[in-house]
Amino acid sequence: MIKAWLVVKELLRGAGITSRHFFVNMTFHTLRLFGIKTKRRGAVTIQYPEERKELSPRHRSLHRIRPRDDGRPSCVACMLCVTVCPSECISVEAAEDPDPEVQKVPAKFVVDLNRCCFCGFCVEACPVDAIRMDTGEIRLASKTRAGLEARLDKP
Amino acid sequence: MLADVLIVLAKVVLALTWTLLLALFLTWVERKESAVMQDRIGANRASVFGLRLFGLFQPFADAIKMLFKEDFAPTFSQRALHWLAPTFSFFFVSVAIVAVPFGDTVRLFGRRIPLQVVDLNAAVLFVLAMLSLGIYGILVSGWASANRYALIGSLRGAAQLISYEVALGLSLVGLIMVFPSLSLSRIVESQGALLFGFLPKWGVFLQPLGFAVFFLAGMAGTKRVPFDLPEGESEIIGFYTEYGGLKFGLFMFTDFLEVIVLSAMSTTLFFGGWQVPWLGDGGFAFPWGGRLDVAPWAVTVLRVLAFNLKVFFFCWLQILTRWTYPRFRYDQIMDLGWKVLVPLGVGNILITGLILAARG
Amino acid sequence: MSGLKRVGLTIDGLKVQAAEGTSILKAAEQAGVVIPHFCYHPALEIEGNCRMCVVEIEGLPKLEPSCSALVREGLVVRTSTERVREARKDVLAFLLAEHPLDCPICDKAGECRLQDYYDRHGLTASRMVEPRERREKKLAIGRGLILDRERCVLCTRCVRFLRQMPGTGELGVFERGLRSEVGIFEDAPVDNGYSGNLVDICPVGAITAEDFRFKTRAWFLARKPSVCPHCGRGCAVTVESVSGYPLAKGERRVYRITARENPAVNGFWICDLGRDGRRDIDEGRHARLMKAGVPVAGLSWQTALADVAAAIRTVPGPERSAGIAVVLNGRLTCEELALAKRLFVAGLGLSKVYFADRKPGSADGLLLTAERLPNGRGVLEAGFAPRLPALDEIAAADVLLVFGPYLSEHLAEEALAKAWAGIPSKFLFSAHEGPLDRLADIVFPVAVPAEKSGTYINVDGTRQTFAQAVKPAAGVAAESAILAGLANLLALDAGGGDAR
């Protein structure tokens, strides 16, 4: 008998929680419907395509290569990102630069976003702080595989 | 004669339209209510010419989507039965609604028209019977799908429905003893009287235990969470494993119709049906002595409105339940049926009988 | 260690025995104690200028460079005391004060002693506040070598090597003190057949090779031992290749060939010809079966070999000796030669078994021999008498099997074409493209020595067994497999015992 009562009590408590949420949220929804702006909203939903959450400063999004002052990529094709990449998605081909101060530049720098897991290891590994994942571009979709191969050495 | 037929036809059309529209509406309510409960917004994108109306068009969008989906049936399924199963379920549930009184009688063109499709003298039994027949839809669907999971689901469904059918029947015996009639319209009329001079003589006040058993058993009969063992999508997917598109839509719609039927029956049997507390044919007669005259047409409108409100409250309650509790385990559900609800139903009959005998 | 007196000393608490006249560094190495060093090289004269190898010797007030200090009886040496570690740290700090930290673009990164030692013994922050000295970053010093003076630590290994090993001495240290730098004499770039070793011995990335420059990184390379097949010396080499990621299709597989230490054959060095052998592995290779000079899609080794077997069968037994001609070469391993002997001479009873190889070049008196085939002794040992075929001897055959593309080096192409035109069936088994390709009925792509395992016997009779260093491309098979398959098709005993 006591056990049965405990069960019923807990059931009622559960229903109480859900209905409290319902009525409280409903109140705020209704207030908003009648044009009364409250600080609290009835729902925590963000209406995604129209509303965007601000990306955290330490977010990771599409890669970019920081340009030098003259606009050329600052990457020196050291391939440390290639080495550290756990999903083996970066491929770099190096080329000779006539400037002896630069010497090594990427002839091709491709990130295969099909494979990339956005771990950010490449950013950490980069000795010249060339590759960064701060473009804020998180909507990466393409209808072809080739469309997801990001050429980073060309601006 | 022709007029009688026309009137009945009109009532059938009205009742069905009301039920189907309410069921359609309920799909939206379910989405929205669960969303609000969970601090979400819920479906709000469906729009007509940019008019969103809180996603009210979502049910229509869903219906269109389901209509245009591929009519799929597995290779070894029995095509005819596969199609027949959802229509079975759908048909029997929608038939059950005809016995429910939506209001009292209206006077129109000199006729007294009861707001009830047919006033069966054994309506309680009729509704129970129709709800029980719905089980064939489940059984047939599981068998026709040629799928083990579907079959397991349908067998679970059959076992569950039969178990709770017993409790459902028992819970109503006490009520029938109190309002000695099987006619729903008679039962509703009896609930217009007052208890102790102020309390409406609703079934729930006379038979609180009976109502509890009835509502619980009825919810188990709708096969919705937390009683969704036949479906059990996280374990066996259930009897509509092999159903998609329109056929699945029919099953889903049946669920909502069952919710409505249960709400209508609860209202009718235990919450005074279309009765508004203290409202007589002439107007309100409050227990503290006040009187408020109301025009006859307004009385009818108030009563229909009251019926609808009550039904809607029970729909809301069921959806709240569905989004609050997790699914029962199979042994628990059988325990609840046979070891709790059936004894409670029998006890209720005993107590009712004793009280009735004591009062002579 | 026969005549030399052995002395006993203690290194880091270990009792060590070493021959008299050994340096402490070497004795420690033999005892398993590693002492860091830049300028010391076991094959070069001791200079002791880097001071990285200093150790503490009991009884001596100062730290001693272990590369030049010789072992003595009863010496007590400590290689990792606080003083020694402090000294190493200081040496590294001085070297790094002027070192441009361009490891990201340095080809040596990953196998650089300075990097390794900094990691192990240095780990100090730079204390330089002045700008670093700028020097020549990209100076061509001849033979595809590039000198970066900023990176140079002035160990003079290169200078000593050129003076000692080829004896040409093109490099020297110029200027003095702070301004010292390695360089070539005016208008006399490095030009000798052993220049590639400079890249190997440079402890930092000061001398790098154009051929390897920026192509890949050292840590991507898989290093497998092999034997150089480009002359009769059979030098020990390391084949450094990349397989799989980050290799893109069409890139080279073998990035470089470096010297491997083998005191019995080549010491520490290899010649530039052998180093250039990486082209032999990746360039001008056949990758697919060809019929009449064009690749045929869907042609399998089985059907192609069956064609060869069928052609051999068309010649009746008694006529085979004269009707079938086989041209082998000295690049085949001993195992393959034994198999060929068994198949062609013992099995089929052929008498026309010839040999065609690269034309001999000139010997340089060091490692490179005049003979440009790796297994000349192996051919003799297998019981062949190698002889170049005359044109009419080939032309008389009904079936011709040629291993290797070297026939065209000895015979004029037009004459060959004329002679081959008269032969009903002729098959070429060649790793490389050549003028014979369009003459043969079927060209079979075969593996180069680095892709096989086997044994070579060098000019001095040293027998060297080597394992596969690079995986051959799909569709390329070793001659051993071809010969075994042929024997199988002809229902002859391939002798599973002595050939793989």
Side-chain angles (χ1 to χ4, degrees):
Chain A
M1 199 63 200
I2 292 166
K3 199 182 150 201
W5 166 239
L6 285 177
V7 169
V8 173
K9 200 181 98 185
E10 287 306 311
L11 287 175
L12 290 177
R13 235 165 66 108
I17 289 168
T18 44
S19 36
R20 190 185 75 225
H21 271 261
F22 178 79
F23 286 115
V24 169
N25 288 336
M26 223 32 211
T27 311
F28 286 110
H29 281 307
T30 316
L31 284 178
R32 184 153 288 236
L33 186 66
F34 289 114
I36 303 164
K37 298 275 181 218
T38 47
K39 202 167 171 197
R40 194 177 146 182
R41 294 168 60 213
V44 294
T45 312
I46 290 170
Q47 297 283 341
Y48 169 59
E50 296 93 16
E51 258 181 88
R52 298 275 172 82
K53 216 172 152 179
E54 202 178 310
L55 292 169
S56 133
R58 51 189 284 273
H59 80 277
R60 294 190 292 265
S61 50
L62 179 68
H63 318 63
R64 74 178 171 109
I65 284 188
R66 205 169 46 84
R68 289 173 198 270
D69 292 339
D70 60 359
R72 289 183 308 160
S74 60
C75 171
V76 294
C78 71
M79 302 193 200
L80 283 183
C81 49
V82 181
T83 311
V84 79
C85 183
S87 44
E88 305 193 339
C89 68
I90 308 178
S91 64
V92 179
E93 255 173 51
E96 188 94 35
D97 193 87
D99 182 357
E101 294 300 313
V102 179
Q103 293 205 35
K104 204 176 176 185
V105 289
K108 216 171 112 189
F109 196 114
V110 182
V111 177
D112 187 351
L113 297 173
N114 293 298
R115 304 186 63 151
C116 180
C117 63
F118 292 89
C119 63
F121 282 9
C122 48
V123 181
E124 282 182 47
C126 188
V128 292
D129 196 14
I131 190 164
R132 288 190 180 172
M133 294 176 79
D134 58 358
T135 51
E137 191 53 67
I138 51 169
R139 294 192 296 171
L140 304 166
S142 170
K143 287 181 177 154
T144 56
R145 276 164 195 274
L148 280 175
E149 279 173 11
R151 268 305 280 271
L152 297 191
D153 53 315
K154 302 249 169 71
Chain B
M1 185 59 211
L2 183 67
D4 288 336
V5 172
L6 280 179
I7 286 167
V8 170
L9 263 179
K11 284 198 286 190
V12 166
V13 169
L14 264 176
L16 271 181
T17 316
W18 176 82
T19 325
L20 296 184
L21 276 181
L22 186 58
L24 215 56
F25 180 60
L26 273 189
T27 64
W28 177 82
V29 170
E30 167 139 288
R31 286 171 162 216
K32 282 300 206 185
E33 187 183 335
S34 62
V36 173
M37 277 166 60
Q38 297 169 349
D39 301 348
R40 296 185 284 113
I41 287 179
N44 64 351
R45 295 273 156 173
S47 67
V48 174
F49 303 120
L51 193 65
R52 279 188 175 178
L53 284 183
F54 314 109
L56 255 178
F57 295 114
Q58 190 65 41
F60 298 100
D62 285 344
I64 291 167
K65 179 193 76 175
M66 283 181 168
L67 271 173
F68 284 97
K69 277 199 162 186
E70 184 192 355
D71 176 25
F72 170 82
T75 313
F76 297 103
S77 67
Q78 299 171 22
R79 300 277 166 138
L81 288 180
H82 198 256
W83 245 118
L84 214 55
T87 37
F88 257 14
S89 293
F90 186 75
F91 173 76
F92 288 122
V93 177
S94 28
V95 160
I97 211 75
V98 298
V100 176
F102 287 69
D104 59 344
T105 49
V106 283
R107 289 182 175 283
L108 219 56
F109 313 119
R111 282 169 183 277
R112 279 176 53 87
I113 304 168
L115 287 180
Q116 186 181 17
V117 179
V118 271
D119 187 5
L120 294 170
N121 53 11
V124 174
L125 297 183
F126 172 76
V127 172
L128 287 184
M130 287 303 121
L131 286 178
S132 302
L133 279 172
I135 199 173
Y136 283 103
I138 298 169
L139 270 179
V140 169
S141 70
W143 180 255
S145 293
N147 179 311
R148 290 168 187 79
Y149 294 110
L151 190 61
I152 292 170
S154 70
L155 290 179
R156 277 187 185 190
Q160 179 179 325
L161 255 62
I162 288 169
S163 307
Y164 281 85
E165 210 61 63
V166 178
L168 200 67
L170 285 175
S171 70
L172 291 181
V173 173
L175 190 88
I176 294 160
M177 286 158 77
V178 175
F179 306 118
S181 171
L182 284 172
S183 156
L184 287 175
S185 58
R186 201 75 57 76
I187 288 176
V188 173
E189 271 164 30
S190 327
Q191 294 184 68
L194 288 181
L195 211 58
F196 314 124
F198 71 96
L199 199 63
K201 198 186 170 191
W202 287 359
V204 68
F205 299 123
L206 298 172
Q207 292 281 318
L209 193 58
F211 169 68
V213 175
F214 173 81
F215 197 65
L216 267 177
M219 284 223 306
T222 61
K223 307 181 296 301
R224 282 158 57 83
V225 184
F227 299 96
D228 64 334
L229 274 297
E231 195 181 325
E233 61 263 270
S234 53
E235 45 198 66
I236 55 164
I237 314 163
F239 60 92
Y240 36 64
T241 308
E242 300 291 0
Y243 281 89
L246 189 58
K247 289 185 282 187
F248 172 74
L250 275 178
F251 268 130
M252 210 178 76
F253 214 64
T254 307
D255 266 10
F256 284 102
L257 287 178
E258 278 174 356
V259 168
I260 293 169
V261 169
L262 177 61
S263 301
M265 287 303 288
S266 302
T267 307
T268 307
L269 293 171
F270 291 96
F271 282 80
W274 41 260
Q275 296 279 8
V276 183
W278 313 304
L279 180 65
D281 287 336
F284 285 102
F286 297 113
W288 53 86
R291 275 197 66 88
L292 187 66
D293 288 335
V294 182
W297 64 266
V299 168
T300 306
V301 168
L302 273 177
R303 284 175 166 170
V304 172
L305 211 63
F307 174 77
N308 275 300
L309 273 176
K310 289 173 188 172
V311 167
F312 196 76
F313 169 76
F314 281 108
C315 291
W316 176 85
L317 193 66
Q318 285 185 63
I319 291 171
L320 183 89
T321 315
R322 185 242 178 278
W323 288 95
T324 300
Y325 302 116
R327 184 185 311 138
F328 281 105
R329 217 166 53 209
Y330 195 70
D331 60 322
Q332 290 171 337
I333 214 166
M334 284 291 135
D335 277 2
L336 181 67
W338 289 109
K339 293 188 187 169
V340 178
L341 294 187
V342 169
L344 279 180
V346 173
N348 185 45
I349 295 169
L350 209 65
I351 293 164
T352 312
L354 284 174
I355 292 174
L356 283 180
R359 290 181 57 179
Chain C
M1 307 295 156
S2 48
L4 283 171
K5 220 181 109 197
R6 310 275 295 172
V7 292
L9 69 159
T10 316
I11 301 176
D12 282 352
L14 287 168
K15 293 258 178 265
V16 176
Q17 290 279 320
E20 201 166 36
T22 320
S23 65
I24 292 175
L25 195 150
K26 211 171 202 171
E29 214 155 68
Q30 282 159 6
V33 177
V34 179
I35 299 174
H37 55 270
F38 289 108
C39 71
Y40 167 80
H41 190 284
L44 303 176
E45 65 194 28
I46 308 298
E47 195 160 289
N49 64 29
C50 75
R51 300 281 145 173
M52 191 65 194
C53 65
V54 287
V55 291
E56 197 176 288
I57 298 173
E58 207 158 90
L60 293 184
K62 287 183 173 181
L63 299 176
E64 286 287 309
S66 61
C67 63
S68 57
L70 300 183
V71 293
R72 265 183 292 125
E73 186 64 48
L75 221 61
V76 179
V77 179
R78 295 197 191 86
T79 70
S80 53
T81 60
E82 192 55 40
R83 259 174 94 202
V84 173
R85 273 186 275 150
E86 231 10 77
R88 284 177 190 158
K89 212 173 239 187
D90 290 345
V91 168
L92 284 170
F94 275 121
L95 288 176
L96 288 167
E98 287 287 300
H99 200 80
L101 292 175
D102 54 14
C103 304
I105 61 165
C106 178
D107 282 331
K108 200 76 177 182
E111 48 183 13
C112 170
R113 273 170 195 262
L114 194 54
Q115 261 187 349
D116 293 349
Y117 290 160
Y118 175 73
D119 202 45
R120 222 167 292 153
H121 308 292
L123 292 177
T124 48
S126 173
R127 278 175 281 172
M128 283 287 281
V129 284
E130 296 81 9
R132 283 166 203 274
E133 190 119 342
R134 304 318 306 261
R135 289 169 198 260
E136 192 69 53
K137 288 287 292 175
K138 201 174 151 188
L139 184 68
I141 54 170
R143 283 265 183 172
L145 300 179
I146 293 165
L147 174 66
D148 186 324
R149 282 181 175 148
E150 281 186 2
R151 293 180 193 157
C152 180
V153 294
L154 288 169
C155 69
T156 69
R157 269 182 174 195
C158 48
V159 177
R160 282 176 284 152
F161 168 78
L162 287 177
R163 254 196 329 253
Q164 236 176 295
M165 160 51 191
T168 46
E170 293 99 334
L171 288 176
V173 181
F174 299 86
E175 303 279 1
R176 301 193 129 217
L178 185 68
R179 282 184 288 278
S180 318
E181 57 189 28
V182 168
I184 47 172
F185 298 91
E186 259 178 56
D187 297 332
V190 175
D191 188 21
N192 63 66
Y194 293 85
S195 63
N197 294 305
L198 294 177
V199 182
D200 284 1
I201 60 167
C202 183
V204 292
I207 297 179
T208 51
E210 193 119 42
D211 186 49
F212 183 67
R213 194 171 159 85
F214 299 165
K215 292 298 179 296
T216 185
R217 302 311 303 257
W219 54 84
F220 289 137
L221 297 171
R223 296 170 169 84
K224 296 276 177 63
S226 189
V227 170
C228 176
H230 293 281
C231 81
R233 184 72 57 193
C235 296
V237 293
T238 304
V239 179
E240 307 197 355
S241 61
V242 173
S243 57
Y245 180 78
L247 181 88
K249 266 211 173 86
E251 282 180 45
R252 68 192 195 192
R253 286 182 300 154
V254 176
Y255 278 87
R256 61 180 176 184
I257 285 174
T258 52
R260 185 159 57 90
E261 185 187 342
N262 186 353
V265 177
N266 58 321
F268 295 88
W269 322 115
I270 59 169
C271 67
D272 286 356
L273 184 74
R275 204 174 283 271
D276 209 34
R278 72 138 193 98
R279 295 180 195 283
D280 187 63
I281 302 173
D282 272 352
E283 290 171 15
R285 289 290 302 276
H286 283 304
R288 298 172 67 183
L289 285 161
M290 296 206 296
K291 244 178 177 165
V294 283
V296 186
L299 181 64
S300 75
W301 271 88
Q302 278 81 1
T303 51
L305 263 189
D307 282 358
V308 179
I312 290 173
R313 279 210 201 85
T314 54
V315 185
E319 290 169 31
R320 273 182 191 160
S321 171
I324 303 175
V326 178
V327 181
L328 301 173
N329 63 55
R331 266 196 163 205
L332 299 173
T333 62
C334 290
E335 291 83 352
E336 286 162 348
L337 287 166
L339 199 53
K341 178 90 177 169
R342 209 171 176 125
L343 171 63
F344 295 127
V345 180
L348 293 170
L350 308 186
S351 59
K352 290 173 140 184
V353 179
Y354 306 106
F355 277 80
D357 273 297
R358 283 224 173 100
K359 273 188 178 160
S362 57
D364 63 1
L366 296 166
L367 292 175
L368 190 65
T369 63
E371 199 177 88
R372 291 294 151 88
L373 60 154
N375 205 15
R377 301 298 162 282
V379 172
L380 297 177
E381 199 197 61
F384 289 109
R387 188 167 70 82
L388 200 68
L391 257 185
D392 52 335
E393 283 174 317
I394 296 173
D398 292 323
V399 178
L400 177 64
L401 306 178
V402 180
F403 288 85
Y406 310 114
L407 209 53
S408 59
E409 282 187 27
H410 301 277
L411 300 166
E413 207 180 321
E414 284 158 43
L416 258 179
K418 207 178 269 174
W420 280 43
I423 308 170
S425 357
K426 54 254 174 198
F427 305 99
L428 178 66
F429 303 85
S430 171
H432 296 94
E433 289 160 358
L436 297 180
D437 294 350
R438 54 185 182 82
L439 304 179
D441 291 344
I442 303 178
V443 179
F444 295 81
V446 300
V448 293
E451 294 171 340
K452 326 194 254 203
S453 57
T455 307
Y456 282 154
I457 304 174
N458 81 348
V459 282
D460 301 324
T462 309
R463 191 179 283 271
Q464 299 194 84
T465 302
F466 54 94
Q468 190 183 59
V470 197
K471 272 225 164 71
V476 173
E479 283 95 336
S480 53
I482 297 164
L483 292 169
L486 207 52
N488 203 11
L489 285 168
L490 292 167
L492 293 169
D493 177 20
D498 57 2
R500 261 161 286 169

